[in-house]
Each structure stands twice: as structure tokens, then as C-alpha cells.
């Protein structure tokens, strides 16, 4: 029996992987830092604060997972890029991998970020684009990736590192740009945005989750971009949201300043994801936004 432990299992990506892992035949164990309502009899929930390092080895000794999906990290929208919380999660992640291997772990997939790259290159390729993060978040993720790469080689551990680009969908933090625009328009309020000319790679959350599950279930190692491979101007996404909700002239571009060093384009090369992991997205931007808008509408009716 393949037994997987998912950290960050109540988070934006982690929650979407659980049923997909069950469908793949895994015995699924999920971590939450506090009591969590279990909506599936097929998921074994464990309460553990992974920042309390002394509890990690005991947890892995109890579960003895063969596989690991590690999403847990500090992700508060306004703070995560330069929060000292990133340092704490580097420490925790190292202890997690050590405990995983010590207790019989065989295959691990860790969530990284596109912010590990030198974003000035725009089109980002795993084994070609240089790494040059300019935030503490990116620096910590990149540092951890290098540490775990060396550790896995010396300890016979199969390891893959999924670099997440831009993702959206149900359960996303409402402070982020796509939920902000959707909720503003549903409230019949103006959505104040930047110029919107930034080109970004957006992937629907269910597809991001399936990409991680397929990566875990494969033998692919090293860095793998988790993105759509599709380039969208932000203002095009905003206009599509406005069209679907039925608003008119509710998007106000150029009302928010952008950082002087903000990259014009951030786009994933997903050749490894498509051809080595053999994964394909099931949603295009339009269908993903349909599901996302419907979810936010339903929350208002509860």
C-alpha cells in the first residue's frame, strides 16, 4: 500500500490533492495544525504544529509514510514575500525530510515557487533559466531546494520540486487579485487595478493539484514547473471576469501603482510537466473562471 502524508492539507493547493490521491490508490494522511472537520472517511487527519520541531519525528514514526507531499509554508498575502516566517519553514522542512527518510520514506514532492528564478528572463525553463530570487520567500525556497537535492542524493531518496506559478480558484485568499476583482464586481463595486499589462501564467487550482499528484506518482526527479504554459495579460483576465459577471465599465485600470522592478512577463515552460510527467490541464482560463465565479457566488448564499 502506498501511504502518503500531505502537509498544508487545509491550504489552497493541499486540500485539492486529497481526493485525487485517493483516486490514485494512496492511503492518505493529512496534517492540520488545529482540529479540522473531516469530510472524507478515506482521509486520516493528524493534528500537529510542524513548527514545533520536536513533534516531527514522532509524527513520522507513527505514520511511516512511503510518500510525501509537502505544501505547508507561511503564505499570508501581504507579508509572505519578506516575512521571517520563511526561515522557520526552512528549518521545519529540513526536519520533515529527515524524519520522512528515517522512517522509511521513499518518494517526496515539495512545493517550490517561480520566485526562485531570475524573473527578468520572463520565459522560465527549469534547467536553463538562472535562479536569482529577490525576496526572502524565494531565497528560502531556493536554499531549501538546494539542501534537499543534496540530501536526497546522499540518502537514496527520490525527490521532485514543483515550482508553482500563478494559481487561482475556489478557496483562494480573498485578498489576492482574481478573488478581489470577482468579489468587487459581484458587489457591484469598481475594481481598482494596476495598468494590467503584466503577462502572467495562471493555472486553475484543480489542475495544479492534479499536476502535483501526477508528479508524485511518477519517477520524475528535480525541478518541474507547475503552470499552464499560457500567457495572459492581467487586463484580459479582468475583462473576461467582467464579461462573465455581466458588469460594464467596472474595471478601473491604472489606479494602483506597480513596483518599478515588476517583471513584464512570468511564463512557465511546461515541457517536463507535459512530456515527462505526462500531465495535461483539464481547464482553460474560461472554464476555470466559470467555476471560480460560481464558488464565490455560492459562498454569498450560505
Amino acid at each position: 500500500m502506498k501511504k502518503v502524508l500531505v502537509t498544508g492539507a487545509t491550504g489552497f493547493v493541499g486540500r485539492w490533492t486529497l481526493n485525487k490521491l485517493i483516486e490514485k490508490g494512496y492511503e492518505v494522511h493529512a496534517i492540520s495544525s488545529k482540529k479540522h472537520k473531516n469530510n472524507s472517511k478515506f482521509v486520516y487527519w493528524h493534528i500537529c504544529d510542524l513548527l514545533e520541531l520536536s513533534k516531527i519525528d514522532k509524527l513520522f514514526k507513527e505514520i511511516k509514510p512511503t510518500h510525501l507531499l509537502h505544501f505547508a509554508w507561511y503564505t499570508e498575502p501581504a507579508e509572505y514575500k519578506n516575512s521571517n516566517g520563511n526561515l522557520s519553514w526552512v528549518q521545519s522542512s529540513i526536519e520533515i525530510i529527515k524524519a520522512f527518510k528515517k522512517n522509511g520514506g521513499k518518494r517526496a514532492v515539495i512545493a517550490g515557487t517561480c520566485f526562485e528564478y531570475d524573473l527578468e528572463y520572463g520565459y522560465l525553463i527549469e534547467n536553463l533559466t538562472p535562479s536569482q530570487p529577490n525576496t526572502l520567500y524565494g531565497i528560502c525556497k531556493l536554499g531549501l531546494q538546494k539542501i534537499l537535492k543534496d540530501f536526497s542524493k546522499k540518502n537514496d531518496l527520490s525527490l521532485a520540486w514543483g515550482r508553482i506559478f500563478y494559481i487561482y480558484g475556489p478557496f483562494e485568499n480573498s485578498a489576492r487579485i482574481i478573488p478581489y476583482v470577482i468579489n468587487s464586481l459581484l458587489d457591484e463595486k469598481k475594481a481598482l487595478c494596476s495598468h494590467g499589462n503584466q503577462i502572467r501564467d495562471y493555472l486553475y487550482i484543480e489542475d495544479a493539484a492534479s499536476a502535483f499528484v501526477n508528479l508524485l506518482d511518477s519517477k520524475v526527479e528535480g525541478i518541474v514547473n507547475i503552470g499552464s504554459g499560457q500567457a495572459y495579460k492581467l487586463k484580459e483576465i479582468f475583462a473576461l471576469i467582467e464579461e462573465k459577471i455581466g458588469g460594464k465599465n467596472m474595471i478601473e485600470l491604472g489606479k494602483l501603482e506597480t513596483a518599478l522592478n515588476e517583471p513584464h512577463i512570468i511564463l512557465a515552460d511546461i515541457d517536463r510537466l507535459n512530456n515527462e510527467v505526462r500531465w495535461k490541464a483539464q481547464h482553460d482560463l474560461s472554464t476555470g473562471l466559470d467555476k471560480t465565479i460560481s464558488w464565490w457566488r455560492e459562498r454569498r448564499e450560505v
Side-chain angles (χ1 to χ4, degrees):
M1 168 66 76
K2 299 181 294 184
K3 186 187 295 187
V4 61
L5 179 63
V6 182
T7 75
T10 60
F12 186 33
V13 183
R15 68 172 65 235
W16 290 97
T17 66
L18 303 181
N19 286 336
K20 296 180 186 301
L21 289 163
I22 293 168
E23 290 168 3
K24 289 278 189 180
Y26 287 87
E27 179 181 302
V28 179
H29 293 256
I31 305 299
S32 176
S33 61
K34 55 188 177 181
K35 191 172 182 179
H36 176 73
K37 183 179 180 180
N38 187 357
N39 293 321
S40 173
K41 63 181 180 180
F42 300 108
V43 177
Y44 299 90
W45 284 93
H46 306 264
I47 299 174
C48 182
D49 183 349
L50 294 172
L51 294 179
E52 294 188 33
L53 304 185
S54 61
K55 294 184 177 181
I56 292 174
D57 189 64
K58 181 180 178 181
L59 176 74
F60 279 85
K61 187 175 181 180
E62 174 189 341
I63 301 171
K64 294 188 181 301
T66 58
H67 291 67
L68 172 68
L69 263 179
H70 180 37
F71 295 109
W73 203 269
Y74 183 80
T75 57
E76 189 65 30
E79 302 174 6
Y80 78 97
K81 287 187 178 180
N82 289 295
S83 169
N84 288 337
N86 290 292
L87 300 173
S88 299
W89 277 107
V90 171
Q91 290 178 298
S92 174
S93 299
I94 291 170
E95 293 303 315
I96 285 169
I97 289 294
K98 286 166 59 180
F100 176 60
K101 176 59 184 176
K102 177 183 174 182
N103 291 283
K106 302 296 183 184
R107 168 76 173 165
V109 173
I110 317 296
T113 173
C114 64
F115 296 110
E116 298 169 54
Y117 286 114
D118 184 342
L119 298 178
E120 292 301 316
Y121 282 75
Y123 185 61
L124 308 173
I125 307 172
E126 296 96 336
N127 297 317
L128 184 61
T129 306
S131 297
Q132 189 64 48
N134 60 9
T135 64
L136 184 58
Y137 172 63
I139 291 168
C140 285
K141 286 284 191 177
L142 178 62
L144 179 63
Q145 184 267 326
K146 290 181 176 181
I147 291 168
L148 298 189
K149 178 182 178 182
D150 187 67
F151 177 88
S152 65
K153 286 183 177 179
K154 292 178 179 177
N155 291 274
D156 191 28
L157 177 66
S158 177
L159 179 74
W161 185 270
R163 281 187 175 162
I164 302 173
F165 280 65
Y166 289 80
I167 49 180
Y168 71 98
F171 296 101
E172 185 174 7
N173 190 299
S174 61
R176 295 189 182 277
I177 186 62
I178 287 181
Y180 162 72
V181 172
I182 290 172
N183 284 305
S184 294
L185 271 56
L186 289 175
D187 288 335
E188 298 183 355
K189 296 179 180 178
K190 298 281 189 178
L192 308 182
C193 303
S194 68
H195 53 69
N197 289 312
Q198 307 97 317
I199 296 172
R200 298 292 182 263
D201 184 316
Y202 270 94
L203 180 66
Y204 184 61
I205 187 60
E206 286 187 60
D207 288 326
S210 72
F212 270 102
V213 171
N214 284 20
L215 179 56
L216 181 73
D217 209 44
S218 75
K219 295 182 180 179
V220 175
E221 298 185 342
I223 299 166
V224 178
N225 287 339
I226 306 295
S228 70
Q230 301 295 314
Y232 305 101
K233 285 187 177 181
L234 289 184
K235 64 183 181 182
E236 294 171 343
I237 298 175
F238 302 156
L240 185 55
I241 293 171
E242 185 176 44
E243 177 185 328
K244 289 178 177 296
I245 292 177
K248 188 175 182 180
N249 300 321
M250 299 297 286
I251 306 293
E252 295 202 355
L253 300 175
K255 295 296 184 180
L256 300 180
E257 292 185 4
T258 57
L260 293 176
N261 62 346
E262 182 172 4
H264 174 60
I265 181 170
I266 300 177
L267 176 62
D269 178 285
I270 57 169
D271 182 72
R272 293 203 76 199
L273 186 58
N274 285 161
N275 298 317
E276 295 182 43
V277 180
R278 299 190 180 281
W279 169 92
K280 297 289 184 183
Q282 299 301 305
H283 302 79
D284 60 16
L285 180 64
S286 181
T287 57
L289 287 176
D290 283 338
K291 286 188 174 184
T292 304
I293 292 168
S294 293
W295 186 82
W296 283 107
R297 277 198 172 115
E298 289 170 4
R299 283 179 65 87
R300 292 158 177 272
E301 298 170 0
V302 175

